[in-house]
Amino acid sequence: MLKLYNTLGRKKQTFKPLKKGSVKMYVCGPTIYNYVHIGNLRAYVFADILRRYLKFKKYKIKQVMNLTDVDDKTIRDSQKAGKTLREFTNKYKKAFLEDMDAMNIEKPEVMPRATEHIQEMIKIIQKLLDKGIAYKAEDGIYFSIKKFKDYGKLSNIDLKNLKAGASKRVSKDEYDKSNANDFVLWKFYTKEDGDVFWETKIGKGRPGWHIECSAMSTKYLGQPFDIHTGGIDLVFPHHENEIAQSQAANKKPFVKYWIHNEWVLVDNKKMSKSLGNFYKLKDITEKGFTPLDLRYLFLTKIYRQKLNFTWEALETAKTSLQRLKNIAHKLEDDNRINQGYIDEFEKAMDDDLNTPKALQVLWKLARDKKAHGKLQTIKKMDSVLGLKLLEEEKIKIPEKVQKLVKEREEAREEKNWKKSDDLRDKIEKLGYKVNDTDEGSVVEEI
Ligand SMILES: [Zn+2]
């Protein structure tokens, strides 16, 4: 049985969907004002692994991933670029979809844009106003956290410890726990917003960030729904506020399981603008790595542990992935499944999605000379891991190079090292590199 670590309550729990046989899940999508970085990508790969594993377990899935296309950052940067908000965010939406595809992340069933759900947001805000939980201030409409008794439960903050003298309200979308206070639902128009505003019954303005996710999740998934995922940085204030808004407005529980993945560090340091280590997918591919090398690297760590990104670690991931593919491509199909290995794989994944363990099982099978059903079993495991182990390489190694590689393998078998080295040089002159592994030679473009 699948166990997942629920941030709400902070323990591993047996997963039991609200409705038998189907799972409704929501993942906070990107703010489309820039290219996503590898920290963002880890969150989406993690949500994808969860989604794929639930499918593996025969659940019917409905997953929603929103696109934040209006907030402080999108407005600020679209103005800088001299473009309309729509033009500006379209560019990054397209880039994001390409990144998802490259990382082999399955597309969620619904990918709603915030700007297309303003009416749904207003409905929730109106309900909160009617109940006296939200109130109007001079610059916007705010949620009064003292009116919601469960406030702070997800992120474990004690309202009694609110910093004395802290301002009573926060108008920014992002802030930290020490500034916890009434948060903004609707921001009244200021001239900095340019042409971004909606004329509505609650006033001219635009939504705060948190209300966007409450509106889009419950519209497509109902309330309550099963799983909400996201990076650990979203626990406070974003997810805390989503809970407050949705539960206070509808007097119903919001989400059963809150699952959060940890940070990506770069060279053991937090990614930050000042260090310039916000790597994007393009930075990775420009150095000759594939997006799936990065995916493999992500899977080598449990999602609830910090992942330290280094170029060496990525190099190791690349080699491992190539070796696995090399083995997989040589397998013959006996049309059988090796249930023993599938059981072992499932045991690892059932334990809060232990992907490093699952990879170990995959490797054990790959190296098992006597096992039956290797090809179909690896294929089944890969339906969860998403490494495209059996897909043919797009880059075809020219026949001439293949012939030289084969000759070189023979030379190595004869322990004719001189000939082997000469052939390696020849191959390199043609633009290819040979790596020797336990499972034979692996060729790659230089
Ligand atoms: Zn969200």
Side-chain angles (χ1 to χ4, degrees):
M1 260 204 284
L2 172 60
K3 287 200 166 181
L4 294 170
Y5 183 87
N6 194 346
T7 306
L8 190 64
R10 290 186 163 61
K11 56 173 183 281
K12 279 188 198 174
Q13 294 175 338
T14 301
F15 176 69
K16 210 172 158 254
L18 294 159
K19 199 177 143 226
K20 206 174 163 240
S22 74
V23 178
K24 292 185 173 170
M25 56 201 289
Y26 186 87
V27 50
C28 286
T31 301
I32 37 180
Y33 77 115
N34 206 329
Y35 300 102
V36 293
H37 57 69
I38 57 176
N40 305 129
L41 286 172
R42 187 185 190 196
Y44 304 129
V45 167
F46 156 66
D48 183 58
I49 292 286
L50 175 57
R51 171 196 167 88
R52 285 168 176 266
Y53 190 54
L54 291 166
K55 274 169 77 178
F56 174 97
K57 286 193 154 308
K58 305 270 189 290
Y59 288 108
K60 192 171 166 279
I61 308 292
K62 184 169 184 186
Q63 186 186 26
V64 178
M65 181 197 280
N66 72 299
L67 298 166
T68 296
D69 61 351
V70 57
D71 77 326
D72 299 347
K73 293 182 286 195
T74 43
I75 293 175
R76 180 195 65 201
D77 289 2
S78 64
Q79 288 172 349
K80 261 193 228 157
K83 289 194 171 141
T84 65
L85 189 65
R86 192 71 180 195
E87 275 173 342
F88 181 75
T89 53
N90 271 348
K91 174 181 166 186
Y92 292 107
K93 178 189 174 183
K94 189 169 166 271
F96 176 65
L97 293 178
E98 284 167 9
D99 282 356
M100 270 182 84
D101 198 42
M103 294 294 290
N104 200 20
I105 295 169
E106 289 185 347
K107 227 173 151 205
E109 281 64 29
V110 194
M111 293 186 80
R113 293 177 78 123
T115 50
E116 289 166 4
H117 295 79
I118 301 294
Q119 286 316 313
E120 286 83 351
M121 297 173 205
I122 289 170
K123 237 175 157 175
I124 300 176
I125 298 171
Q126 188 62 57
K127 271 191 198 173
L128 293 169
L129 281 168
D130 292 346
K131 288 174 197 261
I133 295 162
Y135 61 91
K136 270 187 192 181
E138 62 283 357
D139 60 343
I141 299 175
Y142 285 81
F143 185 102
S144 169
I145 58 173
K146 291 197 175 65
K147 298 253 169 84
F148 180 65
K149 69 170 176 33
D150 283 343
Y151 196 83
K153 259 199 179 165
L154 182 74
S155 55
N156 274 346
I157 51 166
D158 190 347
L159 290 187
K160 276 182 240 122
N161 295 336
L162 281 189
K163 206 163 69 181
S167 64
K168 208 176 158 320
R169 290 190 282 273
V170 253
S171 61
K172 279 198 190 117
D173 286 331
E174 291 173 65
Y175 52 96
D176 60 21
K177 277 189 188 180
S178 65
N179 289 309
N181 230 313
D182 294 356
F183 60 89
V184 71
L185 298 164
W186 186 257
K187 304 187 186 199
F188 292 144
Y189 182 74
T190 64
K191 60 178 188 311
E192 283 78 47
D193 290 344
D195 57 1
V196 180
F197 61 84
W198 285 264
E199 291 275 12
T200 75
K201 62 176 179 182
I202 58 169
K204 177 177 172 178
R206 61 180 172 98
W209 172 37
H210 315 298
I211 196 73
E212 297 181 3
C213 282
S214 282
M216 289 184 273
S217 59
T218 51
K219 170 167 182 176
Y220 295 102
L221 301 174
Q223 185 175 336
F225 59 91
D226 298 292
I227 302 176
H228 196 313
T229 61
I232 195 133
D233 49 319
L234 296 183
V235 174
F236 188 88
H238 188 50
H239 291 163
E240 193 72 66
N241 293 353
E242 277 187 44
I243 294 175
Q245 294 161 159
S246 312
Q247 293 193 183
N250 298 320
K251 289 273 169 249
K252 281 192 271 193
F254 178 42
V255 169
K256 195 168 174 192
Y257 302 94
W258 286 91
I259 323 280
H260 294 99
N261 65 281
E262 261 289 352
W263 299 98
V264 170
L265 303 173
V266 172
D267 298 323
N268 274 317
K269 291 189 194 83
K270 211 168 149 175
M271 286 193 276
S272 74
K273 284 219 174 76
S274 54
L275 290 171
N277 57 3
F278 271 110
Y279 291 131
K280 317 247 160 76
L281 200 51
K282 210 170 128 237
D283 301 317
I284 307 276
T285 51
E286 269 174 2
K287 289 211 173 196
F289 296 97
T290 70
L292 293 182
D293 296 337
L294 181 63
R295 186 173 173 113
Y296 188 98
L297 176 64
F298 286 160
L299 300 187
T300 60
K301 256 292 189 248
I302 291 172
Y303 75 92
R304 282 200 296 125
Q305 294 173 343
K306 290 188 179 67
L307 182 133
N308 185 29
F309 175 91
T310 63
W311 292 107
E312 293 75 38
L314 188 59
E315 187 69 53
T316 308
K318 184 184 182 66
T319 311
S320 302
L321 181 57
Q322 274 182 349
R323 288 168 66 184
L324 264 181
K325 285 175 108 170
N326 200 37
I327 297 169
H329 283 152
K330 286 182 187 154
L331 293 174
E332 273 174 40
D333 191 1
D334 61 4
N335 263 314
R336 292 169 73 192
I337 284 279
N338 194 312
Q339 197 53 45
Y341 275 102
I342 289 288
D343 290 347
E344 234 184 289
F345 177 81
E346 236 181 307
K347 201 174 151 214
M349 291 299 288
D350 272 351
D351 182 17
D352 198 23
L353 308 175
N354 190 330
T355 51
K357 256 271 184 57
L359 279 177
Q360 272 176 27
V361 178
L362 173 61
W363 270 106
K364 198 171 121 192
L365 170 63
R367 287 183 169 133
D368 186 340
K369 296 233 154 58
K370 290 186 191 122
H372 67 268
K374 281 171 87 164
L375 187 128
Q376 290 299 333
T377 309
I378 287 178
K379 197 172 169 186
K380 200 163 175 203
M381 291 176 182
D382 198 30
S383 72
V384 176
L385 303 173
L387 295 167
K388 296 193 178 177
L389 294 174
L390 290 149
E391 219 159 88
E392 286 299 322
E393 297 282 346
K394 277 201 186 102
I395 308 153
K396 275 269 167 250
I397 310 291
E399 223 166 281
K400 197 171 167 192
V401 176
Q402 283 184 38
K403 233 180 103 193
L404 292 173
V405 172
K406 199 147 182 269
E407 263 179 59
R408 186 171 166 276
E409 271 179 2
E410 283 160 10
R412 280 172 60 82
E413 261 166 43
E414 290 159 12
K415 300 200 189 307
N416 187 344
W417 308 121
K418 168 85 178 59
K419 191 177 172 191
S420 153
D421 285 347
D422 289 348
L423 283 162
R424 176 194 286 275
D425 291 344
K426 267 193 190 169
I427 293 165
E428 275 185 16
K429 279 200 186 103
L430 292 167
Y432 292 85
K433 198 174 115 193
V434 206
N435 298 312
D436 300 312
T437 75
D438 298 347
E439 289 80 23
S441 338
V442 178
V443 189
E444 60 175 332
E445 273 188 309
I446 297 171

